[in-house]
């Protein structure tokens, strides 16, 4: 997982990277487990000090299965968020959650099955509880993490991506250099 400046993030994972024969106690005797690869990207756009939107995409590749992707959108206000997700040809989900400034996250999702399994499955519920250890770097102590701060050494505001607020009118020139 890499978080790039200005809210862009990218990630890759491979929870299973090699094929392994399944033994007789497994559900599919004589078969094999296969590698799984995941790629993700998203962008958190801060629209004001308190409101942000975050579109994201997740792509999944499993050997022998069709490529699968999820697209999601979250809207965040003061630590609370609401969103939705669509998994191509499979499911749609409603999402709600809360993220505290101390690193605690509580979330709920309801997946509604859209494929042929909907005759036997009325959907699923997911509850998530998470905690982020450590604290993001914020050298200028303005409440905006350095990786999202365009001016990490100068206190600023979210509206200006961590830079000081721009004055409506530029100050007059200081021709004699006395600071006034």
């Amino acid at each position: 997982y890499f978080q790039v400046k200005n809210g862009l993030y990218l990630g890759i994972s491979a929870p299973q990277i090699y094929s392994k024969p399944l033994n007789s106690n497994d559900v599919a005797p004589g078969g094999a487990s296969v590698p799984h690869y995941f790629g993700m990207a998203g962008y958190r756009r801060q629209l004001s000090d308190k409101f942000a939107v975050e579109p994201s995409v997740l792509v999944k590749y499993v050997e022998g299965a069709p490529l699968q992707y999820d697209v999601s959108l979250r809207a965040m206000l003061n630590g609370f968020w609401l969103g939705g997700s669509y998994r191509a040809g499979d499911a749609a989900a409603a999402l709600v959650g809360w993220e505290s400034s101390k690193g605690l996250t509580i979330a709920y999702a309801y997946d509604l099955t859209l494929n042929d399994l909907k005759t036997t499955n009325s959907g699923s519920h997911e509850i998530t509880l998470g905690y982020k250890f450590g604290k993001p770097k914020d050298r200028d102590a303005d409440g905006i993490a350095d990786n999202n701060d365009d001016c990490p050494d100068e206190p600023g505001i979210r509206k200006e991506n961590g830079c000081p607020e721009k004055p409506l009118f530029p100050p007059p020139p200081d021709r004699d250099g006395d600071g006034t």
Side-chain angles (χ1 to χ4, degrees):
Y1 178 84
F2 302 96
Q3 187 162 358
V4 185
K5 201 171 194 174
N6 295 328
L8 177 67
Y9 56 89
L10 306 166
I12 57 172
S13 69
Q16 184 163 328
I17 57 175
Y18 65 94
S19 295
K20 174 179 120 178
L22 298 175
N23 64 37
S24 59
N25 296 329
D26 292 318
V27 176
S33 59
V34 294
H36 293 64
Y37 304 100
F38 301 92
M40 62 174 288
Y43 178 71
R44 182 180 288 200
R45 173 75 171 139
Q46 202 72 42
L47 299 175
S48 74
D49 282 349
K50 299 178 180 183
F51 183 70
V53 293
E54 185 178 87
S56 63
V57 64
L58 171 68
V59 178
K60 298 177 260 184
Y61 173 75
V62 177
E63 191 177 304
L67 189 68
Q68 191 175 42
Y69 65 90
D70 296 26
V71 291
S72 300
L73 179 65
R74 293 192 311 168
M76 294 162 271
L77 179 65
N78 289 333
F80 291 93
W81 51 269
L82 184 66
S85 180
Y86 172 74
R87 185 173 306 117
D90 185 41
L95 319 163
V96 64
W98 173 73
E99 190 173 309
S100 81
S101 60
K102 307 268 189 232
L104 178 67
T105 300
I106 299 170
Y108 169 77
Y110 177 74
D111 278 26
L112 180 62
T113 304
L114 300 176
N115 60 24
D116 291 340
L117 291 176
K118 66 184 171 192
T119 58
T120 58
N121 178 355
S122 61
S124 63
H125 303 272
E126 178 181 324
I127 297 173
T128 303
L129 179 62
Y131 184 75
K132 293 179 184 174
F133 292 94
K135 190 174 184 182
K137 291 182 184 176
D138 184 11
R139 293 190 304 255
D140 57 14
D142 61 1
I144 302 166
D146 289 349
N147 58 350
N148 290 321
D149 196 333
D150 287 350
C151 302
D153 296 312
E154 190 175 6
I157 61 173
R158 285 202 188 282
K159 181 178 167 186
E160 298 294 336
N161 292 325
C163 293
E165 189 168 19
K166 295 176 185 167
L168 291 175
F169 302 102
D174 181 12
R175 291 187 295 240
D176 61 3
D178 66 356
T180 306

